[in-house]
Amino acid sequence: ALLLAFVVSVAATPAVIRLAGRYGFVARPKADRWHSRPTPLLGGIALYLGVTLSILAFGTLGREMLGVLIGGTLIFVLGLVDDVLQIKPSTKFLGQILASCVVLYAGLGFDLIPNPFLRLFLTILWIVGITNAFNLLDNMDGLSAGVAAISAMTTFIFSLVQGLPEISLLSLAVLGACLGFLIFNFNPARVFMGDCGSLFLGFTLAC
C-alpha cells in the first residue's frame, strides 16, 4: 500500500505539473507565500490518486472506509473547484460540513460522550478543524505534506500497536503519497498541492 501510493504520486505529479502549466493553473508570488516565481498548482491530484488507488487496491471497502473515500472525494472536488474558480470561504465551509456528514452517516465519530448531539458536533468540529489546519499549513514548501507524512507515520504506528488494520492501511497510503509528492515539493518547490491537496490530506487524517 505504501509503495503503490508512492509510485502513483511520483508518476502523476510531473503530469500534473505539465497540465497546470499548460492551462495557467499557477500560484503567483504573494506576500504570504515563500515562492518567488509562478509555480504550478493542483499537485493534490497526484496525492488523491495515490491515496485512493492504494486503498482500492488493498483495502476492505466496508461502510466506514467507503465513507472516508466518498467524503474525501467530495472534499477533493471542493478544493479542486476552489483552485480553478476561487469559490467563497462560506461555500468551502459548507462543503466541508457536508463531507463530514458523509463520514458521520458511515458510522465514524466520537463515542466518548453519551449525548448524541454533542458527539455529532464534536465530530464535525474535529474534521472541519483538522481539514482547515492542513489548508493553513500549505504556505511553505514541503510544510503541509511533511506534517501530513509525520502524522500518518505516527497514526500508522499507533494503529499497528492497537491492531487496527484499516487505519494502518489508510495511514500508509497517505504516507506513501506524501513522500512521493515531497520529491517535487521541497524547496524550491516545482509544484504546490493547492486546496485540493491540503483539504484532502487534512480530511483523511482527521478521519
Side-chain angles (χ1 to χ4, degrees):
L2 174 72
L3 183 60
L4 178 60
F6 177 82
V7 169
V8 170
S9 182
V10 169
T13 302
V16 170
I17 292 173
R18 291 192 295 271
L19 178 70
R22 179 180 299 174
Y23 292 100
F25 299 127
V26 297
R28 308 290 177 184
K30 294 191 298 185
D32 62 341
R33 305 286 297 211
W34 289 68
H35 64 291
S36 57
R37 65 177 188 271
T39 305
L41 280 169
L42 309 184
I45 295 174
L47 289 166
Y48 172 78
L49 290 175
V51 173
T52 304
L53 291 176
S54 182
I55 294 170
L56 290 174
F58 294 103
T60 301
L61 296 182
R63 181 176 177 180
E64 292 180 348
M65 187 64 84
L66 278 174
V68 174
L69 283 177
I70 295 170
T73 299
L74 286 175
I75 211 80
F76 166 74
V77 171
L78 178 71
L80 188 61
V81 172
D82 186 46
D83 287 330
V84 174
L85 300 177
Q86 297 291 308
I87 59 179
K88 295 188 295 184
S90 58
T91 304
K92 287 170 63 178
F93 182 67
L94 289 174
Q96 292 165 10
I97 292 177
L98 175 62
S100 302
C101 290
V102 171
V103 172
L104 277 165
Y105 181 75
L108 288 176
F110 286 107
D111 59 0
L112 302 175
I113 300 169
N115 189 302
F117 297 104
L118 189 55
R119 290 203 304 265
L120 185 148
F121 171 76
L122 286 176
T123 301
I124 293 176
L125 179 66
W126 170 264
I127 294 175
V128 172
I130 298 298
T131 298
N132 283 294
F134 277 88
N135 186 227
L136 292 173
L137 278 175
D138 188 32
N139 64 356
M140 292 175 62
D141 295 352
L143 182 59
S144 188
V147 172
I150 294 169
S151 301
M153 173 63 79
T154 305
T155 308
F156 166 68
I157 294 170
F158 173 80
S159 61
L160 198 64
V161 171
Q162 295 294 319
L164 303 169
E166 288 187 338
I167 299 177
S168 297
L169 171 68
L170 194 57
S171 301
L172 285 178
V174 172
L175 175 60
C178 287
L179 291 177
F181 179 75
L182 280 169
I183 295 173
F184 307 91
N185 190 233
F186 277 128
N187 187 32
R190 285 177 276 170
V191 63
F192 293 148
M193 67 176 66
D195 280 5
C196 65
S198 59
L199 293 178
F200 173 72
L201 285 181
F203 179 87
T204 306
L205 287 168
C207 290

